[in-house]
Amino acid sequence: MTDMHKSFKTDCAQASTVYFTKEISPASLIKLYQKLGRPAQGRVAAKLSTGEAGNENYLKPALIKDLVQSVKATIVECNTAYAGARNTTDAHRQLIKDHGFAAIAPVDIMDSDGVEHLPVKGGTHLKEDIVGDHVKNYDFMMVLTHFKGHPMGGFGGALKNIAIGVASSDGKANIHTAGAMQTQGWQTAEDGRFMKLTGPDHDAFIESMAEAAKSVSDFFGEGEKMLYISVMNNMSVDCDCVSHPAEVDMKDIGVLASLNPVALDQACVDLVYEAPDGHSLIERIESRNGERILEHAEKIGFGDRRYRLVCID
């Protein structure tokens, strides 16, 4: 643990519960889902990253299939704002099929027909979050996250999954520019892997992700119609959106679940700091000021970073 990091694990009864298992399997995902005690009912959206072309680190269909099918969920995604295999609906659908997700459940590109503007309550940077219009078609959102590093955010957890992941193409630009929506302020790498923000400061982008995530939670009954499961495997310093990610250099840790995404992300970060082989990911988190998303989420009233880790093994 470095001087920049503080663990938020506690025995306090009022802290959010984060369930944990070392077993990474279809059965363990279902067991954690049942532990949460919040049935996914109605029209259920399963939000996950289906991975960029060339990336093999994303959550595999075989791992999530039983859980997704048990709640009759539709896998949902939105198009990207950068060059690649997911920046148009047709190309995105093809890649999802190529990665095997269309074979296990219905798939919906939520911004394929337009956008919805969700209000951001209490935000510093954003007044609205621009998401895929189809979000209105769902009663409940199950957030399945592959926890890993990220070139700009430091790490990609549950908050990023519902912030950047639920945002439309324009919504992604809106978050990255902290509400400025100046798409000309983006620079695309030659291989189309990522975009570099040239407008607002970096911390404003990190904080905007927290604000966008809160707007999605507010939409789903202030989080009462959401649950979160995060898998810590195949961890690289790069995210699933990078077509040629850095090599995986950490051993798999396990699966975590909570009704509080802020506590869940904090627990995942803490486990990285506790891991003997977490050096590369720690450097990525600290160099990008990654934990600021958790600080800001807590500041705007979106979850508490304190948590009780309950191992179910």
Side-chain angles (χ1 to χ4, degrees):
M1 186 176 300
T2 74
D3 293 338
M4 293 182 67
H5 178 76
K6 169 190 173 185
S7 173
F8 282 79
K9 184 163 60 176
T10 178
D11 294 327
C12 177
Q14 284 72 44
S16 297
T17 300
V18 176
Y19 294 101
F20 171 74
T21 177
K22 292 181 180 179
E23 178 185 335
I24 302 176
S25 70
S28 70
L29 265 64
I30 289 179
K31 189 182 296 184
L32 284 173
Y33 162 67
Q34 293 171 340
K35 279 286 185 183
L36 291 175
R38 179 176 288 174
Q41 298 176 330
R43 298 166 297 179
V44 180
K47 176 63 190 76
L48 62 136
S49 171
T50 50
E52 185 57 71
N55 189 309
E56 294 295 330
N57 296 336
Y58 56 87
L59 297 182
K60 298 301 186 289
L63 177 63
I64 66 168
K65 175 183 175 181
D66 291 352
L67 176 57
V68 169
Q69 292 185 350
S70 73
V71 298
K72 297 180 173 60
T74 296
I75 293 172
V76 300
E77 273 273 45
C78 280
N79 292 319
T80 62
Y82 58 84
R86 298 187 298 155
N87 65 340
T88 67
T89 297
D90 288 344
H92 201 167
R93 287 191 188 282
Q94 183 60 53
L95 183 61
I96 287 172
K97 183 178 180 181
D98 293 344
H99 283 181
F101 291 100
I104 68 167
V107 177
D108 180 13
I109 308 298
M110 291 195 293
D111 60 339
S112 59
D113 293 320
V115 300
E116 177 73 8
H117 296 256
L118 302 183
V120 173
K121 301 174 184 176
T124 302
H125 308 285
L126 302 182
K127 290 187 171 73
E128 62 180 11
D129 182 24
I130 308 169
V131 303
D133 177 67
H134 293 181
V135 72
K136 296 183 297 184
N137 297 339
Y138 301 98
D139 305 304
F140 193 102
M141 181 170 282
M142 173 186 289
V143 183
L144 305 178
T145 301
H146 172 222
F147 186 90
K148 66 284 179 184
H150 190 272
M152 292 182 68
F155 71 89
L159 293 182
K160 180 183 178 295
N161 196 359
I162 61 172
I164 298 294
V166 176
S168 68
S169 293
D170 283 348
K172 289 173 171 62
N174 185 49
I175 295 168
H176 274 278
T177 60
M181 280 292 291
Q182 295 174 344
T183 52
Q184 69 272 18
W186 295 75
Q187 292 180 346
T188 308
E190 288 184 2
D191 61 0
R193 287 187 302 160
F194 64 92
M195 289 184 171
K196 181 179 180 182
L197 186 65
T198 59
D201 66 75
H202 181 78
D203 285 350
F205 152 62
I206 299 286
E207 292 175 357
S208 294
M209 282 199 293
E211 294 176 10
K214 183 178 184 295
S215 77
V216 174
S217 176
D218 287 345
F219 177 81
F220 284 101
E222 295 185 349
E224 292 298 319
K225 296 179 180 179
M226 300 183 77
L227 62 84
Y228 304 84
I229 299 174
S230 294
V231 182
M232 301 186 73
N233 71 343
N234 300 326
M235 286 177 287
S236 160
V237 298
D238 287 325
C239 74
D240 299 343
C241 61
V242 175
S243 58
H244 301 291
E247 291 294 324
V248 171
D249 61 359
M250 288 187 69
K251 293 180 180 177
D252 294 349
I253 292 178
V255 189
L256 296 86
S258 183
L259 300 178
N260 176 355
V262 180
L264 177 60
D265 276 357
Q266 185 66 65
C268 290
V269 169
D270 288 350
L271 285 172
V272 170
Y273 274 84
E274 292 174 9
D277 54 358
H279 310 293
S280 297
L281 186 45
I282 289 171
E283 190 280 332
R284 176 58 57 90
I285 291 170
E286 293 186 352
S287 65
R288 305 315 196 259
N289 203 7
E291 286 194 77
R292 193 174 188 93
I293 191 173
L294 305 176
E295 297 167 4
H296 193 65
E298 193 173 51
K299 179 181 177 181
I300 62 177
F302 181 31
D304 191 321
R305 297 171 76 182
R306 296 177 304 157
Y307 65 92
R308 293 183 301 113
L309 193 66
V310 178
C311 182
I312 67 169
D313 293 334

